[in-house]
Amino acid sequence: MPTAPQNTDELYQALQDNQRRPYGRTRTVTAEELVDAAERFEDPLALVRTLLELQEAYAYGSEPRKSPVVFARLLTLFDEQPDVFDERLRHLLFWRFKWVANALRALPEIPLASLRQWLKEMRDRYEKAGLGLQPYYGQVYQLASHLGEDTAVAYELWAGRTRTAFSDCEACEICERALYHLAAGDDERALRAWEPVLAGQESCQEEPARSLSYALLPLLRTGDTDRARALHLSGYRGCRRNASMVGEVGRHLEFCALTGNEARGLELLAENRNLFDEVDSPLDLFDFLTGVDVLLRRVESLGHGELPAAGYAGRSWTVAGLGAEVRGRADDLAARFDARNGTTALTDRRRARIDRAPLLDALELTLRTRTLDEVDPAAVPAAAPAPRRTADLPGDLPALILRARELDEQAHPDAQLCWARLRKLVAARGYTHPDDPAVGPFVRLRAELLADEAGRAGDRDDFAEAADLYEEAAGLYEDAGAPGEAALSRASAALASAEIPADGDGGGDDGTEAKAAAMTAAHAAMVRLHEETPGLAPYLEARLLRLRATALGLRLQTSVSEEHVTAAFAEVELLHAFADRHGIGGQVSGAALLRAGTHAVSGDLATAVTELDALLLRLKEHGPAWHLPRTLGLRGRINLGRQDAQAAHADLSEGLRLAGEWATLAADNGRLHGDLAQALMHLGRADEALRHLTRSAELDLRRGSRTDAFCTYSNAAQLSLDLGRIEDCIALLDSLLADPGVAAGELDDRLVAQLRLTRARALHAGEDLKAATAEFVALAAESAGWDDDPGSHAMIASETAVLLGESGEFGRAREVMDQAVAAHALTPRYEHLSNALRELARLQAEREGADGLAAALAHLAEAGRIADEARAAAFEAGGRSLDTALAYEHGRVHAYAGEYETALAALEKTLGLLGEPDTDQDRAGEWAECMRLASAVEGIYLERTAPALIRLDAALSRLNALGHTDEAGPLASLAARLRDEA
């Protein structure tokens, strides 16, 4: 605490503030300090209340050794000064006998005789107080279950009794009954017992998170994999990083290990690393460590024992090293408990969990499913699904080098596989270059490998690295006596350099002039290289011409200027004529592809499609076949531009199918997946689109394009939220935000902020108001420093204010909303601010009634000023009109405050602004809701039933005549109610 309370009023306020904190060391330490302060006041009531808070902090902070000590003090106070305990405090005292029983059971150093003696004390106290014994028998049953004794009698003595006011909550008792059936091997009966908790009908502080963790494996065994997946996502979020739910975390890790999600298990283990050191309950720790052990054994059995793993603080761990440590500690805990209990129950349970075989080879748990190979830095990056064509690579080194060059000359995709094999061979210790004139010197091979590496850097948009590598390759080619290859590498370096984003805007609004100028310069450099390098081999000259045409095509794409069209087409025709003359089929089709793209960029989509139709026919007849996916992809994108989503879907799907025949193409078709996702969205097939978005992001990530991958993942997260797949959205974002690159600052901070913003919205949609508000508050504070983007701060701050309003913190909400309004003044966000101000006004009036009317009207006045600004700026809202929405909110706010005449006048004004309904369903719905509220105010609160019914009957007639029967339903129900009450 910053300062100690000086009186009991301050003490009680500090106590209340502490109760709002999450369980953990901060809350516990503060509770200890409050007990010290209460003792100084010599006020027994204050001491009782602070001791109760301290015991709760110990119980939910996983410190069972301290909880019984605090309770002993409370029991002494109760015996000595029973009058201090009112009915509520007395209830809390007797309730917590169970907490002490649970705490003692969790400590292996407490003798079994002491456990039984405590239960006798509980029974004696309950009987003396005239309380029912069902809670006592519940503790007797739980002890028998813990000991591994025959629980049938103990279960019946507890479960067969009538519940009392001191029984565990319904949700907790449901869990105990289900676990009894689970221990008997009856999964289906256990799940039936669990259903009210699993369905969200019963809950408490620990539930449903506890039940969800236990139900996962029974759900798998009974074949309900979809529900197991859903409950894993929601259940894990309810227990993550929580020291009092460490056993639940362990069961989620075990679930990952048994469903082919070992990589996710390691990710979740890292997220819960704090639990190794924060948990002081031996029994809970045993449960957690056993779950960790199951996961680590599984990972090690799959050959990944050297993977890094998150474990005890103070050192770094591998899976194998942490596994050995965890096994030793868990075995020791099991032995200590069994020695205390005089049974082998915990050792047997631990062995059963460890020996359990995986239940599924693979279960897709999240939208970001990864394998151990993908998280193992020593493993070869996993490729896409196995191609239908396999490259036949020579085993002989000279033959492999010659094969790589032959395929590279053809621009064959299998050339990349050859270069990849050669890169490994060259990097190996003891490499000896072949002494073969046909192969040439080692320096040439080094140049070729650098050029291939540069191409891959360019593919992932790392143009600076690509340019440097191409320049280095050019120097090596010159050393090898290959001037043609050197010229081509320098031309490639010029193009890569031109694609590096400019630091400034180069005189243009968005850098387009600078990039266009860079492409012009690159093209000029290529022409000079072409002129200065005589005797080029035809395939090299064709490639150089291809680079020239590409540079002017990119210039046109950047500038979209008519003055650049003719030059772009001229270069394409030069390439086509040369390639056709020399019979270089790959470059002929490449020229046709460039020509079609140039038509598309210049706005002639019909001609572009015609060109591509002809090219596809040629490719199918003459090849090269590996150009088909790219050609279909371009036609698919153009069809999207022509609003023909069906044709686009057909092209892109076929492109993906054909790309799958080539290993290198299949691993690099992220754009095809992304474009196909867009086509599917246009076709209304959002769930399929989501799968392709995540696949696109995954492929981008594998090829090193982290920013592209995270942008696509961000879009996937937003789409999953739009689809109502809230837990999928949160799980995806949690995984992304836990990425080491994010923590290391390797990702753009605004992109990270967007991920956090989507997560905060998902938490709000998932009704986790506390977590959502905390994230929004943090984002609002962070975005306040975005001097270059005040509009985003206005948006974030206004949403934050609304969440604070939902939490009842209207003072803080007003402060944050003032920030939003100030940022809006710099970069207007009319609709966002108006919506937030109106909602804040509604929340305050709804919660505070007449007392909140003045503040609510102040919010509406601000919204009115923004509506005036929007009107003056000719701004058109994307949703409801700002003026009609404002008038309607005036009606609602005054109705909440009991100002019914004013409310009715405002609602009638709204109806006037809306005008009569027509065939537009959204407008009819808005009109009907306003009419319903106006009629309710008039008929119910102003008790003017007759005019309200006249209003309703006329409205129903209009809506039904227009076919808006759904919109008419609530009005008809209100009319029936008014007639019944008349």
Side-chain angles (χ1 to χ4, degrees), residues 138-422:
Q139 290 300 315
V140 171
Y141 162 70
Q142 289 183 42
L143 178 58
S145 177
H146 170 73
L147 297 174
E149 298 175 344
D150 185 352
T151 56
V153 174
Y155 177 79
E156 288 304 323
L157 285 171
W158 160 63
R161 273 181 158 74
T162 303
R163 286 171 46 79
T164 76
F166 293 89
S167 298
D168 284 343
C169 76
E170 188 66 44
C172 287
E173 290 207 344
I174 284 173
C175 185
E176 289 300 332
R177 289 194 291 272
L179 289 175
Y180 174 76
H181 299 308
L182 190 63
D186 194 338
D187 286 341
E188 292 185 354
R189 189 171 180 185
L191 290 170
R192 286 197 300 272
W194 257 316
E195 186 54 32
V197 175
L198 303 186
Q201 298 165 8
E202 299 288 347
S203 63
C204 68
Q205 176 77 29
E206 299 175 355
E207 295 289 353
R210 181 168 178 251
S211 289
L212 296 184
S213 71
Y214 278 112
L216 295 174
L217 299 187
L219 284 167
L220 290 181
R221 289 193 292 261
T222 55
D224 199 346
T225 55
D226 288 343
R227 196 174 195 194
R229 174 188 181 277
L231 295 184
H232 162 67
L233 295 180
S234 60
Y236 171 69
R237 186 161 61 85
C239 63
R240 60 195 287 232
R241 302 197 199 105
N242 188 337
S244 69
M245 306 204 82
V246 65
E248 285 77 356
V249 173
R251 284 186 285 278
H252 282 281
L253 298 178
E254 181 179 359
F255 176 75
C256 289
L258 300 180
T259 56
N261 286 278
E262 299 85 5
R264 174 168 170 79
L266 292 177
E267 183 179 293
L268 300 190
L269 180 61
E271 189 176 17
N272 291 276
R273 183 174 191 165
N274 63 299
L275 299 181
F276 283 103
D277 301 302
E278 291 181 7
V279 178
D280 194 41
S281 167
L283 187 58
D284 289 346
L285 189 61
F286 166 78
D287 209 4
F288 172 65
L289 292 179
T290 300
V292 174
D293 192 12
V294 172
L295 171 66
L296 297 178
R297 285 174 187 261
R298 176 65 179 160
V299 174
E300 193 170 1
S301 73
L302 294 172
H304 293 275
E306 295 309 308
L307 264 178
Y312 295 92
R315 60 163 287 188
S316 58
W317 296 92
T318 64
V319 165
L322 180 61
E325 180 73 16
V326 163
R327 281 191 286 279
R329 296 193 186 210
D331 286 343
D332 178 65
L333 284 169
R336 289 173 61 198
F337 275 109
D338 286 347
R340 188 271 303 274
N341 298 338
T343 67
T344 61
L346 268 73
T347 297
D348 294 344
R349 288 170 194 159
R350 173 168 157 71
R351 177 52 54 191
R353 290 176 70 180
I354 290 170
D355 291 345
R356 188 175 285 131
L359 298 175
L360 292 173
D361 291 333
L363 173 63
E364 186 175 307
L365 291 182
T366 70
L367 296 173
R368 191 190 182 199
T369 300
R370 295 188 295 166
T371 66
L372 289 170
D373 284 334
E374 291 171 272
V375 298
D376 189 342
V380 177
R388 286 177 286 277
R389 300 178 188 226
T390 55
D392 184 15
L393 302 185
D396 177 64
L397 179 58
L400 179 61
I401 295 172
L402 295 175
R403 179 63 172 159
R405 291 170 181 164
E406 177 190 356
L407 293 175
D408 192 67
E409 184 175 328
Q410 302 169 26
H412 194 291
D414 286 351
Q416 294 182 38
L417 300 177
C418 292
W419 295 129
R421 174 77 66 82
L422 285 166

Side-chain angles (χ1 to χ4, degrees), residues 671-974:
R671 179 154 190 193
L672 282 172
H673 281 285
D675 291 335
L676 184 54
Q678 188 178 350
L680 288 163
M681 287 298 295
H682 283 293
L683 294 172
R685 295 157 61 179
D687 283 300
E688 293 178 66
L690 183 58
R691 288 199 297 273
H692 285 285
L693 271 181
T694 54
R695 181 64 173 153
S696 174
E698 175 190 346
L699 291 170
D700 282 342
L701 199 60
R702 287 179 181 179
R703 69 186 181 93
S705 299
R706 291 178 60 79
T707 298
D708 288 344
F710 274 74
C711 284
T712 305
Y713 272 131
S714 178
N715 293 335
Q718 183 60 56
L719 178 56
S720 63
L721 180 57
D722 293 341
L723 290 171
R725 295 173 59 173
I726 295 168
E727 296 298 341
D728 277 324
C729 176
I730 295 172
L732 172 60
L733 291 167
D734 283 345
S735 175
L736 295 173
L737 291 168
D739 188 282
V742 173
E746 296 172 2
L747 211 62
D748 179 75
D749 61 343
R750 302 297 170 84
L751 177 52
V752 174
Q754 181 59 58
L755 296 173
R756 291 170 56 200
L757 180 61
T758 305
R759 182 177 181 275
R761 288 170 175 162
L763 289 168
H764 187 217
E767 300 182 355
D768 192 344
L769 181 59
K770 185 176 181 180
T773 303
E775 186 66 274
F776 263 110
V777 167
L779 282 168
E782 184 178 312
S783 62
W786 296 352
D787 295 336
D788 60 330
D789 190 9
S792 290
H793 176 56
M795 176 191 71
I796 293 169
S798 62
E799 287 190 60
T800 304
V802 170
L803 265 68
L804 287 167
E806 289 184 25
S807 303
E809 298 185 59
F810 293 110
R812 290 181 67 197
R814 178 71 262 183
E815 292 173 7
V816 177
M817 183 58 79
D818 287 343
Q819 296 176 24
V821 171
H824 158 81
L826 299 173
T827 304
R829 291 291 185 269
Y830 301 110
E831 192 165 10
H832 225 95
L833 267 289
S834 176
N835 291 347
L837 284 161
R838 296 195 317 270
E839 179 64 7
L840 201 51
R842 182 194 69 79
L843 288 167
Q844 192 150 12
E846 182 180 29
R847 180 167 297 203
E848 298 182 351
D851 292 339
L853 180 59
L857 291 178
H859 291 311
L860 293 182
E862 189 73 60
R865 184 183 64 77
I866 288 172
D868 292 340
E869 290 177 0
R871 198 180 312 107
F875 172 81
E876 291 188 14
R880 301 165 63 191
S881 156
L882 300 188
D883 291 317
T884 55
L886 181 60
Y888 175 75
E889 212 57 69
H890 269 286
R892 277 210 296 188
V893 162
H894 280 97
Y896 283 131
E899 300 284 345
Y900 300 119
E901 291 288 2
T902 307
L904 183 58
L907 293 168
E908 287 178 336
K909 176 184 176 182
T910 308
L911 289 167
L913 291 170
L914 286 170
E916 293 295 313
D918 53 23
T919 55
D920 183 86
Q921 189 170 8
D922 290 338
R923 187 163 175 271
E926 188 178 352
W927 183 88
E929 171 53 25
C930 187
M931 180 62 73
R932 184 201 64 78
L933 184 54
S935 302
V937 168
E938 186 173 34
I940 297 173
Y941 299 105
L942 293 174
E943 298 180 350
R944 299 204 290 260
T945 306
L949 284 171
I950 292 171
R951 184 195 299 271
L952 283 168
D953 289 341
L956 286 167
S957 177
R958 290 190 190 95
L959 290 171
N960 287 322
L962 291 166
H964 297 305
T965 53
D966 289 343
E967 289 73 14
L971 275 69
S973 298
L974 177 59

